[in-house]
Amino acid sequence: MSQFWRLDGPLQTLILAAQQERLPQVIYWGPPLPTSDDCATLAAAHTMDVTGGMLDANPELSICPESSQSFPGQPGLMCRDAQGRVLRPKFRFVKDLAKEHSLCLTYADKDLGLTYEAHFELTASSNILTCWSRLEATQPLMLHWLAAPVFPAPQLSDSMMSFSGRWIGEFQTHSIPWRPGIHKRESRTGRSGHEHFPGLILPEIGARNTVGRAYGFHYGWSGGHQMIAEELPDGRRQIQFGHACDSHNGPAQSFETAKLYAVFSDRGINGCGTGFQRHLRDHILTFPKASLPRPVHYNCWEAIYFDHDLSSLKDIATRAKDLGAERFVLDDGWFGRRDDDNSSLGDWQIDPRKYPSGLDPLIDHITSLGLQFGLWVEPEMVNPDSNLYRAHPDWILGQKDQLLGRQQLVLDMARDEVIAYLYDCISVLLETYDIGYLKWDHNRTLPLSDVTQTEGTYALLARLRAAFPHVEIESCASGGGRIDFGILQHCQRVWLSDSNDALERSRIQHGAALFLPALVTGSHVGPRLC
């Protein structure tokens, strides 16, 4: 028994095929095919010969490769039951829900009590495939790895474009040659990370910026992630993306990957970038007023650091207005007793020493100039020297004797009381003052990779956006440490890098442009000498 499913768009076709109710595999992903083409013929053409000394048939490179099917490479699911026994599911077809531009496939292993779902959506206007996986269990289990639906990599590619970096050196492009075995890239910092942006481009031989075929992937998740590009012993290749291994730090019965965004281009590497940019702009971002041009804004950080003086700030705002600024951002140092970066994170109340009348005198001056007012916050962090930590030392993520980062600890965003406290602090500010923008910073890596940390941050951002839809939020993490389509479901801007050197910035922006439109990538005016 054979089963076939296909998704067709103006620029690409995806066809899946399954045999004997097993999990399907991608048998075609490329330029649009006529709907009259016979899927059975395509499946037959996709079948590989069996070589000597191997199995009598090639195990399918399915959307979730199974070790129970003698698959020789990285499986798409690795888990254990509550007793620590390794589970090797053997999924069989349950049902499908096929629409014109979406597909949901459900499979189950009834003996193990596991149900697997694979979701596919094709957005014709952006040429993006959005895919994710879901696993349900009748009993709690420990998840080591769950991949989003797995794609084959092209045989006609001899290298992959990978993106790595560091602080003030984000989005560095590297060409990694294909070779037998696994190329694995994992970020365990609890953020998308400066180190390993969760994206990958696979150009076929001869592809350039504007010509040739290329395949692009982006995993839209703001926590730790893993990517595997594997060439199997028989020469086939697979691409897997998912949360970092063991990011679920306890037993559970329900698991879901983030969304994997995939694109095929026969217009070169730039075609992948066009698809990602359009999809983010038109289908993910939600602006307070989408019709308005992006504002030119002035951030006072390098001018004053922690030395807040009202008359100086008013003078700076007036000068910024004369230079063409449209938004004024008050950065770090306005709260608690924040005279340096050693204290007060978590105490999100106005410092009465610096602002005895609150922020109104400054905001009134700024708005009288016709500027919007913005404010810096770093809600997920806490200093040991803070009223919050002294009251709630149990609210931190990880061990008490962990290494500090920038004299900071991380709040446990899985705690409902932490979310409630942060929401109350920020909502009081947004209700009291005329604030149109938050610069949401995240200045240290996490002590461990934890899915619930990212989910809690998403929940807090979603709650604030619902209550204050007029407020724009920027994702900043020491510059480009948390940039991905997941965080951009809740934010409208990213701080691409802390580097404001024009030459460095041009290289960073060149790499980022394969995924991000210019309207979300905030940039500073830098020094004349670079």
Side-chain angles (χ1 to χ4, degrees):
M1 174 186 170
S2 299
Q3 295 168 290
F4 303 100
W5 300 272
R6 63 184 291 165
L7 292 172
D8 291 283
L11 298 177
Q12 64 178 323
T13 292
L14 177 76
I15 300 179
L16 299 146
Q19 303 294 328
Q20 305 302 319
E21 298 192 335
R22 295 190 296 270
L23 286 167
Q25 58 183 328
V26 175
I27 63 167
Y28 180 85
W29 182 28
L33 290 179
T35 55
S36 59
D37 278 12
D38 181 55
C39 290
T41 302
L42 286 170
H46 182 267
T47 303
M48 287 179 56
D49 289 337
V50 178
T51 61
M54 304 292 285
L55 299 170
D56 292 340
N58 291 305
E60 288 121 345
L61 200 171
S62 73
I63 57 174
C64 185
E66 298 169 295
S67 56
S68 63
Q69 303 295 325
S70 300
F71 185 72
Q74 167 89 4
L77 170 63
M78 290 184 278
C79 58
R80 297 175 182 267
D81 64 15
Q83 288 71 46
R85 181 170 61 101
V86 175
L87 303 180
R88 295 183 175 87
K90 187 163 59 176
F91 289 115
R92 291 298 180 263
F93 179 76
V94 175
K95 64 180 180 179
D96 61 4
L97 178 60
K99 299 181 181 179
E100 182 180 4
H101 294 298
S102 66
L103 174 66
C104 176
L105 301 173
T106 303
Y107 286 76
D109 184 322
K110 295 181 180 179
D111 293 337
L112 295 180
L114 300 178
T115 301
Y116 170 83
E117 286 182 1
H119 296 259
F120 301 84
E121 294 179 356
L122 175 58
T123 305
S125 60
S126 62
N127 193 38
I128 292 291
L129 281 160
T130 304
C131 318
W132 68 98
S133 302
R134 184 175 179 83
L135 181 70
E136 298 283 348
T138 56
Q139 300 293 328
L141 57 82
M142 292 294 297
L143 182 69
H144 176 68
W145 169 249
L146 175 63
V150 175
F151 282 79
Q155 298 296 125
L156 294 178
S157 174
D158 59 0
S159 65
M160 58 191 93
M161 290 178 62
S162 183
F163 303 87
S164 64
R166 53 176 171 73
W167 177 69
I168 69 170
E170 296 86 344
F171 285 97
Q172 297 179 25
T173 303
H174 301 276
S175 179
I176 310 295
W178 278 101
R179 55 173 59 94
I182 284 178
H183 172 65
K184 180 174 121 173
R185 198 183 64 205
E186 186 167 26
S187 172
R188 302 200 62 83
T189 62
R191 312 185 292 192
S192 323
H194 298 81
E195 305 80 14
H196 301 298
F197 175 75
L200 183 71
I201 305 287
L202 303 177
E204 290 193 352
I205 295 171
R208 297 292 182 265
N209 285 340
T210 58
V211 297
R213 294 183 177 184
Y215 300 77
F217 301 89
H218 169 60
Y219 191 61
W221 176 244
S222 309
H225 61 273
Q226 179 175 270
M227 182 215 77
I228 285 178
E230 182 177 21
E231 184 172 297
L232 302 174
D234 56 29
R236 290 178 296 172
R237 296 165 172 174
Q238 65 163 334
I239 302 296
Q240 295 191 12
F241 276 93
H243 295 349
C245 290
D246 296 317
S247 291
H248 296 86
N249 294 309
Q253 292 177 251
S254 180
F255 306 90
E256 186 170 311
T257 70
K259 290 181 170 60
L260 174 63
Y261 300 92
V263 59
F264 164 76
S265 165
D266 61 0
R267 303 174 184 177
I269 296 166
N270 288 356
C272 296
T274 299
F276 286 130
Q277 287 193 22
R278 287 180 177 171
H279 193 78
L280 178 64
R281 183 195 66 195
D282 297 339
H283 302 284
I284 293 179
L285 293 169
T286 53
F287 289 103
K289 291 184 179 179
S291 61
L292 294 180
R294 310 303 296 127
V296 176
H297 81 211
Y298 176 86
N299 186 301
C300 68
W301 173 242
E302 281 97 348
I304 64 167
Y305 294 110
F306 297 100
D307 185 15
H308 287 225
D309 174 74
L310 183 60
S311 61
S312 296
L313 286 166
K314 286 182 176 181
D315 179 57
I316 291 170
T318 301
R319 292 167 181 256
K321 170 65 176 180
D322 292 341
L323 288 170
E326 298 163 308
R327 175 190 285 155
F328 181 95
V329 181
L330 183 66
D331 211 281
D332 197 354
W334 55 267
F335 54 93
R337 298 183 69 85
R338 182 79 163 172
D339 297 326
D340 53 38
D341 61 2
N342 295 318
S343 74
S344 300
L345 283 179
D347 301 339
W348 300 109
Q349 295 82 36
I350 307 297
D351 184 348
R353 301 171 306 155
K354 300 176 182 177
Y355 298 96
S357 300
L359 294 178
D360 281 326
L362 176 60
I363 295 176
D364 289 345
H365 176 75
I366 288 168
T367 55
S368 71
L369 296 170
L371 300 177
Q372 186 187 79
F373 178 76
L375 192 66
W376 179 95
V377 291
E378 193 174 2
E380 297 150 85
M381 303 296 165
V382 63
N383 287 123
D385 182 10
S386 66
N387 293 334
L388 177 63
Y389 182 78
R390 285 185 282 271
H392 299 286
D394 56 319
W395 281 10
I396 66 166
L397 180 71
Q399 301 298 320
K400 291 185 177 181
D401 60 349
Q402 65 184 267
L403 285 172
L404 296 181
R406 288 173 53 106
Q407 306 302 315
Q408 297 174 201
L409 295 164
V410 184
L411 291 172
D412 186 349
M413 299 298 287
R415 287 176 171 262
D416 292 340
E417 59 269 34
V418 170
I419 299 294
Y421 168 80
L422 293 174
Y423 177 81
D424 289 344
C425 289
I426 298 171
S427 62
V428 165
L429 290 167
L430 297 179
E431 289 167 352
T432 304
Y433 297 109
D434 185 6
I435 299 171
Y437 162 93
L438 291 176
K439 182 179 177 67
W440 190 291
D441 218 336
H442 187 286
N443 275 314
R444 67 153 286 179
T445 59
L446 271 59
L448 51 92
S449 185
D450 188 339
V451 167
T452 58
Q453 187 74 12
T454 303
E455 291 173 342
T457 300
Y458 286 170
L460 175 59
L461 285 166
R463 187 177 174 189
L464 287 167
R465 286 296 317 285
F468 306 96
H470 66 285
V471 176
E472 183 176 319
I473 302 175
E474 174 189 272
S475 172
C476 177
S478 300
R482 186 159 66 180
I483 295 176
D484 58 85
F485 286 14
I487 201 72
L488 282 165
Q489 290 179 348
H490 307 284
C491 303
Q492 295 74 41
R493 190 176 188 266
V494 296
W495 182 230
L496 195 57
S497 177
D498 279 344
S499 172
N500 59 4
D501 179 286
L503 294 178
E504 288 181 349
R505 263 310 189 106
S506 66
R507 289 190 286 267
I508 294 168
Q509 291 178 196
H510 182 78
L514 285 172
F515 300 91
L516 305 173
L519 84 167
V520 302
T521 55
S523 302
H524 267 180
V525 174
R528 291 184 179 181
L529 299 178
C530 303

